């Protein structure tokens, strides 16, 4: 058996200096609202889904995100918007952990949103699969225990040397790590 050591990072506050409350999508949605005010029409449904998910626990995070990502259908050129979004923010990436080329970022944020900045830094990426044009969630949200499933699919025999995280949602993965590190944590 061949084992590799992996340094693993959550994206939001571990890799990114900005304090993304609900992930990079939170800032991206606000950015898009300023540039495309018509997407505000999707917010009442998103608000109801958030209340059902967080307040009533009536729906899971994946269904909440499906409702949240509905705004994407109103963005005419999503690739261009993502490029514009990161132009002003990519300098904030680095955070307190200083991920280096070859390290792995694992995030509940959608892959299409994080792919560019991670690729430009030589970082591997595992993230939620979301269609950037329709907002359709294409698989389980890459959060909580799903991060373990997705990590093991790609690296079945890897040993996680360090894991930097900001969220109690990462506790299942943090418990498997030789050196778990809380960075700007919520209530881990």
């Amino acid at each position: 058996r061949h084992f590799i050591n992996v340094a693993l990072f959550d994206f939001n506050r571990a890799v990114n200096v900005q304090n993304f409350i609900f992930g990079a999508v939170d800032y991206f949605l606000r950015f898009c609202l300023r540039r495309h005010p018509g997407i505000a029409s999707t917010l009442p449904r998103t608000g109801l889904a958030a209340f059902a998910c967080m307040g009533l626990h009536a729906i899971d995070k994946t269904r909440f995100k499906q409702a949240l990502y509905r705004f994407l259908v109103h963005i005419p050129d999503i690739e261009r918007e993502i490029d514009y979004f990161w132009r002003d923010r990519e300098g904030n990436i680095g955070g307190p952990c200083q991920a280096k080329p070859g390290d792995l970022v694992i995030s509940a944020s959608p892959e299409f949103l994080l792919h560019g900045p991670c690729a430009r830094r030589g970082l591997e990426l595992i993230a939620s699969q979301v269609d950037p044009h329709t907002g359709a969630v294409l698989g389980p949200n890459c959060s909580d225990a799903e991060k373990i499933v997705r990590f093991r699919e790609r690296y079945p025999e890897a040993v996680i040397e360090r894991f930097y995280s900001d969220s109690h949602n990462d506790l299942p993965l943090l418990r498997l790590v030789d050196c778990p590190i809380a960075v700007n944590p919520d209530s881990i």
Side-chain angles (χ1 to χ4, degrees):
R1 292 172 83 161
H2 175 69
F3 293 93
I4 60 170
N5 286 330
V6 176
L8 191 61
F9 298 81
D10 185 34
F11 186 79
N12 292 335
R13 286 177 277 189
V15 173
N16 196 314
V17 175
Q18 292 178 330
N19 186 7
F20 289 168
I21 298 169
F22 295 111
V25 174
D26 177 41
Y27 273 104
F28 185 63
L29 172 59
R30 287 189 262 163
F31 171 83
C32 290
L33 273 168
R34 285 190 299 276
R35 293 176 52 82
H36 305 279
I39 66 174
S41 66
T42 66
L43 296 181
R45 182 176 177 178
T46 301
L48 288 174
F51 178 71
C53 176
M54 308 302 183
L56 302 177
H57 305 289
I59 64 172
D60 64 14
K61 287 181 195 176
T62 301
R63 287 192 50 206
F64 162 68
K65 287 189 171 190
Q66 182 84 33
L68 172 65
Y69 300 145
R70 297 216 13 100
F71 79 91
L72 294 169
V73 300
H74 301 284
I75 307 297
D77 185 347
I78 190 66
E79 289 81 11
R80 187 183 74 201
E81 292 302 315
I82 293 168
D83 182 52
Y84 287 160
F85 173 73
W86 284 115
R87 272 188 202 169
D88 293 339
R89 290 160 185 80
E90 200 160 339
N92 292 327
I93 295 176
C97 304
Q98 297 303 317
K100 59 187 180 306
D103 286 342
L104 174 66
V105 170
I106 190 163
S107 178
S109 294
E111 182 178 297
F112 73 83
L113 190 57
L114 303 184
H115 173 77
C118 287
R120 286 187 284 278
R121 283 166 178 71
L123 302 172
E124 298 291 320
L125 175 63
I126 297 174
S128 295
Q129 298 298 304
V130 177
D131 184 308
H133 303 285
T134 66
V137 177
L138 305 174
N141 186 42
C142 188
S143 180
D144 304 295
E146 182 63 21
K147 285 187 176 184
I148 298 171
V149 171
R150 303 278 302 283
F151 178 79
R152 287 290 171 222
E153 284 174 354
R154 189 176 298 178
Y155 303 101
E157 297 186 22
V159 175
I160 304 169
E161 184 180 7
R162 299 179 319 274
F163 180 37
Y164 300 85
S165 177
D166 65 334
S167 175
H168 68 277
N169 292 326
D170 290 332
L171 283 174
L173 192 53
L174 285 164
R175 289 184 179 114
L176 299 179
V177 176
D178 288 342
C179 183
I181 302 165
V183 178
N184 300 321
D186 51 19
S187 51
I188 291 182

